[in-house]
Amino acid sequence: MTVEKDEKAVPEEQHYEDYSDLYPGRKGPVKRGFFGQIFLLDRQEIMEKTKCELNVYNRLQHSPLVKLMLAALKSSGCEVDLGRHISCEVCEKEVTGGYDPKLNQIIICQNTCRTKNRVQSTLSHELIHMFDFCRNKLDLNNIDHLACTEIRAANLCHCSFMGAVTRGLAGPFHIKQAHQDCVADKAIRSIMAVKNVSKEEATEAVMRVFLKCYNDLEPVGRRLRRNSRDMEKAYIEGPLYGYSD
C-alpha cells in the first residue's frame, strides 16, 4: 500500500504487501480502551472524518492540479468516483496518506492531514500513483516501479527550491541540482516508509530509474514552481493533450 466506471481490476496473480499497520482503518474500526471511551474519541474521529471529507471535496472542486489529475485518469479509462476511490481514515502519525493498489483506493489521513493545502498536496501525490497504476501497470512489489512512481510524485507535486533549502539540500552554491536532490531524497524516504529496505537499497533503486522517471512529466507537463500560476496553466492546457473533465 504506499482508489466506477470501467474500473481496471488488479490481476488475480498479483499479491501486494500489507502496509495496514500504517492505516489501522484498513482493518476495520479502531479499538478504544477505557480512557478512549470516557473522552469520546469516537466523536472526535467522526468530526475529523467529516472535516477531511469536506476538504477533499473542496480540492476536487477547486484545485487545478487535482482537477487535471482527475481529467487525466478519466481520459485514461480510470474515472475516479469520490465515494469509491477516496477514503478519509485514521492513520499512524508519520503518514498523511497512501495508495492501496489492491482496492485501487486513495487514503487521506484525517488525523494528520487537517488543512486544505495539506489535503491538496497528499491527494495530488496519491493521484500520481493511481495514474501510474492505471496507465503504466505499476507493480508496487517491484522496488524499481515503486521508486519511479515516488520520483514522479515528488517531482510533480512537492519539491521546490525553497523546500530544498529548508531540508538542507540547496544553497547559494548548489542551485542547479537542488531540485533533483530534493526529488531523490523524498523518493528514498517514501520507499523506506512503505518497504522494509535499507537506505542503501532504496537509494540504489532510485538511482537506477531516476533520469527516465524524473523526465516523465505526464500528465502535468511541467515542474510546478511555488507562488506561480503553473497549476492553472497545466489545467488549462490539459484538453490539448486529451485530458478533459
Side-chain angles (χ1 to χ4, degrees), residues 15-242:
H15 301 283
Y16 294 96
E17 294 184 28
D18 181 12
Y19 304 120
S20 55
D21 287 345
L22 294 175
Y23 310 100
R26 302 276 91 180
K27 299 178 180 179
V30 179
K31 294 182 180 179
R32 294 294 171 207
F34 176 72
F35 289 103
Q37 296 176 25
I38 288 179
F39 291 106
L40 302 176
L41 291 184
D42 286 343
R43 182 176 297 178
Q44 177 184 337
E45 287 180 8
I46 291 171
M47 294 174 64
E48 285 181 345
K49 186 177 183 69
T50 300
K51 183 178 180 180
C52 174
E53 290 174 344
L54 288 172
N55 283 338
V56 168
Y57 182 76
N58 178 278
R59 295 298 81 196
L60 263 62
Q61 295 297 312
H62 300 294
S63 167
L65 180 57
V66 172
K67 290 196 292 183
L68 173 63
M69 291 304 308
L70 295 177
L73 280 157
K74 180 180 179 181
S75 299
S76 302
C78 301
E79 185 170 1
V80 174
D81 179 272
L82 175 58
R84 163 66 180 85
H85 295 107
I86 303 174
S87 177
C88 287
E89 297 180 10
V90 176
C91 309
E92 292 301 313
K93 295 295 185 181
E94 64 266 26
V95 295
T96 59
Y99 174 64
D100 183 345
K102 186 174 182 181
L103 297 179
N104 192 30
Q105 191 171 53
I106 288 170
I107 305 157
I108 302 296
C109 299
Q110 64 194 49
N111 56 318
T112 59
C113 203
R114 299 175 181 272
T115 67
K116 291 178 183 176
N117 286 342
R118 199 75 180 270
V119 167
Q120 173 174 286
S121 176
T122 302
L123 187 56
S124 301
H125 181 113
E126 305 307 333
L127 283 168
I128 292 292
H129 295 330
M130 182 182 278
F131 181 82
D132 287 347
F133 186 72
C134 171
R135 285 279 293 266
N136 301 320
K137 311 303 181 186
L138 180 67
D139 177 5
L140 294 182
N141 290 328
N142 183 320
I143 193 171
D144 285 3
H145 285 206
L146 177 60
C148 189
T149 193
E150 293 295 355
I151 289 166
R152 282 176 30 75
N155 190 23
L156 296 174
C157 302
H158 299 291
C159 285
S160 65
F161 177 72
M162 288 307 299
V165 169
T166 59
R167 292 209 296 277
L169 299 173
F173 303 106
H174 187 66
I175 296 175
K176 186 175 181 180
Q177 288 292 116
H179 189 267
Q180 292 188 23
D181 289 349
C182 174
V183 169
D185 176 70
K186 185 166 181 60
I188 290 166
R189 290 186 290 110
S190 295
I191 292 170
M192 293 173 64
V194 298
K195 272 187 100 64
N196 185 25
V197 297
S198 67
K199 184 174 182 179
E200 290 72 20
E201 290 175 285
T203 301
E204 288 173 2
V206 167
M207 291 301 102
R208 278 196 299 270
V209 300
F210 189 82
L211 285 179
K212 178 179 180 180
C213 300
Y214 182 77
N215 290 321
D216 181 359
L217 302 179
E218 283 293 321
V220 182
R222 68 191 73 209
R223 299 180 181 97
L224 304 176
R225 297 167 297 172
R226 185 174 293 186
N227 299 322
S228 74
R229 295 191 67 248
D230 286 348
M231 287 188 191
E232 290 87 347
K233 291 177 181 178
Y235 176 63
I236 292 170
E237 293 170 0
L240 298 177
Y241 301 96

